[in-house]
Amino acid sequence: MGILSRMIPTEDASARKREIEEKLKQEQETLSFIRENLEKSDQLTKGMVSILSSFESRLMQLENSIIPVHKQTENLQRLQENVDKTLSCMDHVISYYHVAKDTDRIIREGPTGRLDEYLACIAKIQKAVEYFQDNNPDSPELNTVKARFEKGKELLEAEFRNLLTRYSKPVPPILILDAISVDEELEVQEEVVLEHLPEAVLQDIICIAGWLVEYGRNQDFMNVYFQIRSNQLDRSIKGLKEHFRKNSASSGVPYSPAVQTKRKDTPTKKVPKRPGTIRKAQNLLKQYSQHGLDGKKGGSNLTPLEGYDHDLRVKLMTDALTEKHGGAAGKDDVLDIEIDSYIHCISAFVKLAQSEYALLLEIIPEHHQKKTFDSLIQEALDNLMLEGDNIVSAARRAIMRHDYSAVLTIFPILRHLKMNKSEFDSTLQGTAASTKNKLPTLITSMETIGAKALEEFADSIKNDPDKEYNMPKDGTVHELTSNAILFLQQLLDFQETAGAMLASQESSSSASSYTSEFNKRLLSTYICKVLGNLQLNLLSKSKVYEDAALRAIFLHNNYNYILKSLEKSELIQLVTVTQKRAESLYRELIEQQIISYKSSWFKVTEHLSEKNMPVFQPGTKLKDKERQIIKDKFKGFNDGLEELCKTQKGWAIPDKEQRDFIRRSQKTVVSEAYRAFLQRCANISFTKNPEKYHKYHPEHVEQMIEKLFDTSA
């Protein structure tokens, strides 16, 4: 056991030793292989290094050869470029010395017809000037090109003036009328374009203006522009006036094609109503104050106008005037034309000024536009304002002569000015304050003179003297009444204007109340004042009549005429704004005068009463005294009836309805009293000649009364 145990480890050690030796041998072989490979690698490395060193040497040789060549080539190219640039600069500089010669012909011939070519020449000259100023300011060539540049600029300015002068024409009147006309039947209005210059000419003018501003350093052309265009604007408006005069002279009526009218004075942009009706009213007012239709003094001419037919009266009056003037346009027609023309010229100015401003925006530099426009419109605006001032002065002189109808010429103009004021202000926006204030100043003057005329008219109605020769012999409507009513009726077309006139004279403390309703109340108060003054004056005038009955007929006719006139027109609506009971008050006045008139028959019917009538029994013989009483009653009735019928037959009650009512009423009263009297005297023998006293049958009496107030009977 012991020997065996010692033998086992020895065998393991031998095996282990052999294994180690084998591994050692393998490692030695590997080491030898590596050494061999390292030697080969070293040899290869040495070969590569040798190759690279050789290549580097060759590259250095190549670089040393190429770089000098490259630098020489680069220098040659730079030299070539410098030569080219020098030659080009020389050519460019030399060209400046030839500019004056090259552009001489074109500059001398001017820009007409070849503006682009001309401006190109000017540009060349301008560059030459800049060159010599920068590089050779003492050279004679600088003076030459400077002179050529100034000459070119001069010719451009002349071309600007020539183009404007040649192609700026007044706008034809018909085109202006079309531009300011309003057709109420068209929902969408077709705007009329006012073309002041042909498009090609306009573009040339714009081009020249732009050059003069940018390069010419010249603003004189703007003065040239506003002077030429201002003249054309003024000529356009004067041409419109002349158009009115010529067409009115040939046709007898003002010519205003395509212009629509509108009756009411309401805020609107429509072209206003022509003042022809106003002028006719003035004619009538004057005619009333001078003669009746029959050419006689007094107011009996109103008798045939049954029912106070105002339209018929106007027609008859107008026909009388037309016949008087032989159908031609008289002095008043000329004034009518002038007013109509002025109204249209105001609208034309606004439209033309707007058109001029649109044109100016394309031509004049922005910061000069407002000033140039202000200068451009001055002449035309001043002429319009002067004409307006002349109208105010004429109205003032007429008022001093107590011709208050002259104020009627102010109304259509003032209304039109106020209707167009906002557009006027918008058009003049940006102009000087003195320019913008011209229209408001004219409006204020017209409102002041208008208000003065209205107030003085009211006073004249109150203070009209009681002239006996001027009183209508037949008790019909007095000329003062017809004048006053006709005057007031004309205010209906200008309610807002007249109300504003009166409001303009109110104290500043109530200025905040200047509304349409406030103005309407003022106008209503004014109309009531005129009517009140008229009533007081009529009462005073009626005292001229010695006959109380004729006095009553006179007042009745006038009150009835006033009431009917108020009811037929819209005056009654205006009156009732401040006087609710106006109608009933006038009816009461009329009724009072009817009662007063009827009292004139008391001296006739009192003879038919039972007063002093003898008491007797049938068949009893009357005493002489009693018979005489009955005779006196018959005689008193007969004489009174005859006298009244003879007198009152020459009186007038133009209103058929009132005339028939008074006749019928009086006929009933007298006829019934007379029949009763005859019945009482039927069986009384008071005379041997009864036909001497019983002259009239009741039917005959009724026929006599039926002929009252009838001059033809």
Side-chain angles (χ1 to χ4, degrees):
M1 286 296 291
I3 296 173
L4 183 62
S5 62
R6 284 194 297 270
M7 287 177 67
I8 291 173
T10 303
E11 290 176 0
D12 290 338
S14 298
R16 181 69 178 163
K17 182 179 179 182
R18 284 193 300 274
E19 182 181 350
I20 290 171
E21 288 176 349
E22 287 177 1
K23 285 183 179 181
L24 180 60
K25 185 180 180 180
Q26 289 176 354
E27 290 296 333
Q28 287 176 343
E29 290 176 354
T30 301
L31 180 60
S32 298
F33 177 75
I34 290 172
R35 283 176 177 167
E36 290 176 1
N37 286 333
L38 283 173
E39 290 175 357
K40 289 180 181 180
S41 178
D42 287 341
Q43 291 176 357
L44 290 173
T45 300
K46 288 178 181 178
M48 182 59 69
V49 168
S50 175
I51 292 171
L52 289 175
S53 297
S54 175
F55 183 70
E56 182 180 8
S57 174
R58 291 179 180 181
L59 280 176
M60 288 180 67
Q61 291 176 0
L62 179 63
E63 183 178 357
N64 291 332
S65 300
I66 292 299
I67 286 177
V69 174
H70 174 72
K71 287 182 177 180
Q72 282 184 339
T73 303
E74 193 175 49
N75 290 333
L76 289 173
Q77 288 177 340
R78 188 178 296 111
L79 288 172
Q80 179 66 37
E81 289 176 0
N82 289 338
V83 169
D84 291 341
K85 287 181 179 179
T86 301
L87 290 174
S88 177
C89 288
M90 289 297 294
D91 290 340
H92 184 68
V93 169
I94 291 171
S95 69
Y96 290 135
Y97 286 87
H98 294 288
V99 162
K101 181 180 178 182
D102 293 343
T103 59
D104 180 65
R105 182 181 60 82
I106 295 176
I107 295 300
R108 277 190 293 101
E109 292 177 357
T112 304
R114 51 177 177 182
L115 181 61
D116 292 339
E117 183 183 3
Y118 190 85
L119 290 177
C121 283
I122 292 288
K124 289 180 181 179
I125 296 171
Q126 187 176 10
K127 288 180 181 179
V129 171
E130 293 171 355
Y131 170 79
F132 288 119
Q133 284 177 336
D134 294 339
N135 298 281
N136 194 1
D138 297 327
S139 66
E141 285 80 6
L142 176 60
N143 295 329
T144 302
V145 291
K146 267 188 175 181
R148 189 59 49 84
F149 181 80
E150 290 301 321
K151 179 65 175 177
K153 186 170 74 171
E154 252 178 53
L155 293 176
L156 273 178
E157 292 171 358
E159 179 70 2
F160 183 87
R161 179 188 292 273
N162 291 337
L163 287 176
L164 269 180
T165 303
R166 187 183 311 126
Y167 292 99
S168 290
K169 305 295 182 184
V171 181
I174 295 298
L175 188 59
I176 296 176
L177 289 170
D178 287 341
I180 65 177
S181 67
V182 176
D183 192 341
E184 295 177 349
E185 296 180 358
L186 296 178
E187 294 182 2
V188 179
Q189 299 296 323
E190 183 178 349
E191 185 176 357
V192 178
V193 178
L194 301 177
E195 184 178 294
H196 297 287
L197 297 168
E199 183 61 27
V201 174
L202 175 60
Q203 293 306 317
D204 283 353
I205 289 174
I206 293 172
C207 187
I208 294 173
W211 188 92
L212 289 173
V213 170
E214 185 174 359
Y215 302 108
R217 307 292 188 268
N218 187 346
Q219 296 181 3
D220 291 342
F221 79 94
M222 289 182 250
N223 296 330
V224 171
Y225 178 84
F226 90 70
Q227 289 168 1
I228 294 174
R229 294 308 306 169
S230 174
N231 182 50
Q232 296 309 317
L233 174 61
D234 191 52
R235 287 177 62 192
S236 296
I237 294 176
K238 287 178 178 176
L240 181 61
K241 288 181 185 177
E242 188 63 26
H243 175 80
F244 268 86
R245 291 193 186 98
K246 286 183 178 178
N247 284 278
S248 300
S250 60
S251 63
V253 293
Y255 180 66
S256 50
V259 176
Q260 301 297 316
T261 61
K262 190 174 181 67
R263 184 180 189 279
K264 288 297 171 191
D265 182 15
T266 52
T268 174
K269 290 295 179 69
K270 302 290 189 291
V271 175
K273 180 180 180 181
R274 285 185 56 255
T277 56
I278 299 300
R279 178 53 47 193
K280 289 188 177 70
Q282 289 180 281
N283 294 342
L284 293 179
L285 289 174
K286 293 177 182 178
Q287 187 76 353
Y288 270 126
S289 62
Q290 295 173 357
H291 304 283
L293 287 178
D294 56 1
K296 298 177 181 178
K297 289 281 185 181
S300 60
N301 57 293
L302 296 177
T303 302
L305 300 183
E306 299 291 339
Y308 307 109
D309 189 333
H310 174 71
D311 295 333
L312 177 59
R313 178 176 301 177
V314 170
K315 182 179 185 302
L316 290 173
M317 288 290 186
T318 306
D319 290 346
L321 286 173
T322 303
E323 183 177 353
K324 177 180 177 182
H325 293 295
K331 180 180 178 181
D332 289 333
D333 292 326
V334 172
L335 181 57
D336 183 12
I337 295 164
E338 292 298 326
I339 294 169
D340 203 14
S341 170
Y342 185 70
I343 287 175
H344 283 77
C345 286
I346 291 292
S347 295
F349 172 79
V350 174
K351 185 65 68 175
L352 290 171
Q354 290 172 346
S355 179
E356 287 290 346
Y357 188 67
L359 179 65
L360 177 144
L361 290 178
E362 298 187 71
I363 299 172
I364 304 299
E366 183 177 359
H367 52 289
H368 292 287
Q369 289 169 356
K370 294 295 184 182
K371 182 179 178 181
T372 305
F373 179 67
D374 196 346
S375 301
L376 189 155
I377 62 173
Q378 283 303 313
E379 183 177 3
L381 181 59
D382 286 344
N383 287 339
L384 284 177
M385 295 302 106
L386 178 61
E387 191 171 348
D389 290 337
N390 290 339
I391 292 171
V392 172
S393 298
R396 185 178 291 110
R397 291 192 297 271
I399 292 168
M400 292 175 66
R401 299 192 305 270
H402 306 294
D403 177 14
Y404 304 109
S405 63
V407 74
L408 297 175
T409 63
I410 297 289
F411 279 102
I413 297 174
L414 179 58
R415 177 178 67 177
H416 189 68
L417 291 177
K418 295 182 77 172
M419 283 166 54
N420 288 273
K421 185 177 182 301
S422 60
E423 193 171 4
F424 216 102
D425 292 343
S426 175
T427 303
L428 301 185
Q429 186 177 7
T431 58
S434 58
T435 302
K436 287 188 268 192
N437 289 335
K438 287 180 180 179
L439 181 66
T441 300
L442 178 59
I443 289 176
T444 300
S445 298
M446 287 190 171
E447 285 188 330
T448 301
I449 195 66
K452 178 179 173 64
L454 290 175
E455 290 302 324
E456 290 197 13
F457 176 77
D459 292 339
S460 73
I461 295 297
K462 181 179 179 180
N463 301 319
D464 187 69
D466 304 328
K467 298 177 181 178
E468 184 175 353
Y469 68 83
N470 202 34
M471 295 294 289
K473 306 301 181 183
D474 54 2
T476 190
V477 179
H478 195 279
E479 63 188 17
L480 180 68
T481 303
S482 58
N483 285 354
I485 294 300
L486 189 58
F487 186 90
L488 294 179
Q489 285 174 338
Q490 298 309 311
L491 300 183
L492 288 175
D493 290 328
F494 306 95
Q495 296 180 34
E496 187 67 27
T497 304
M501 273 184 181
L502 297 169
S504 68
Q505 305 306 303
E506 293 292 304
S507 61
S508 58
S509 60
S510 59
S512 59
S513 304
Y514 289 174
T515 62
S516 180
E517 188 61 32
F518 176 76
N519 294 348
K520 189 174 183 180
R521 290 188 65 83
L522 279 180
L523 183 58
S524 175
T525 302
Y526 172 77
I527 292 174
C528 290
K529 177 182 178 180
V530 173
L531 293 176
N533 290 349
L534 178 60
Q535 183 180 342
L536 291 173
N537 199 305
L538 289 173
L539 280 171
S540 176
K541 289 183 184 302
S542 67
K543 296 175 183 177
V544 172
Y545 296 113
E546 295 180 0
D547 192 325
L550 181 56
R551 188 182 310 142
I553 289 296
F554 172 75
L555 291 175
H556 164 273
N557 283 333
N558 282 271
Y559 293 154
N560 188 60
Y561 177 81
I562 293 171
L563 178 60
K564 288 294 181 70
S565 298
L566 293 178
E567 290 176 336
K568 284 185 67 176
S569 65
E570 296 175 14
L571 278 173
I572 193 63
Q573 282 83 2
L574 266 179
V575 171
T576 53
V577 170
T578 53
Q579 180 54 267
K580 303 296 183 185
R581 295 189 61 247
E583 283 188 84
S584 59
L585 289 174
Y586 272 110
R587 294 190 191 283
E588 290 172 9
L589 289 173
I590 292 169
E591 184 60 31
Q592 289 173 7
Q593 299 309 318
I594 292 177
I595 293 172
S596 179
Y597 162 74
K598 288 182 177 180
S599 65
S600 68
W601 283 84
F602 288 166
K603 63 182 180 181
V604 175
T605 56
E606 68 179 352
H607 297 292
L608 305 178
S609 66
E610 294 185 4
K611 183 180 179 181
N612 299 326
M613 192 73 174
V615 180
F616 57 88
Q617 296 295 327
T620 303
K621 186 176 181 181
L622 296 179
K623 297 178 182 180
D624 291 342
K625 183 179 180 180
E626 293 174 336
R627 286 197 297 272
Q628 189 60 42
I629 290 174
I630 296 176
K631 289 179 181 179
D632 289 343
K633 282 184 174 289
F634 266 105
K635 187 175 186 306
F637 171 77
N638 292 336
D639 292 346
L641 177 65
E642 290 169 357
E643 181 183 352
L644 279 184
C645 287
K646 180 180 178 181
T647 301
Q648 296 185 8
K649 185 173 68 172
W651 297 353
I653 299 180
D655 188 334
K656 185 177 186 304
E657 183 181 345
Q658 285 289 310
R659 184 169 67 242
D660 291 344
F661 169 75
I662 292 175
R663 284 173 175 173
R664 187 168 55 252
S665 175
Q666 200 57 43
K667 188 167 56 177
T668 300
V669 172
V670 176
S671 178
E672 288 180 357
Y674 188 49
R675 289 178 190 277
F677 176 74
L678 291 179
Q679 190 173 359
R680 286 196 300 272
C681 300
N683 298 319
I684 300 176
S685 178
F686 63 92
T687 180
K688 294 180 180 179
N689 299 310
E691 66 279 357
K692 178 181 177 181
Y693 298 97
H694 188 187
K695 293 173 63 175
Y696 302 107
H697 294 287
E699 293 78 9
H700 192 189
V701 172
E702 292 178 355
Q703 291 175 3
M704 293 174 69
I705 295 175
E706 188 65 33
K707 293 180 181 179
L708 295 178
F709 318 116
D710 186 356
T711 56
S712 64

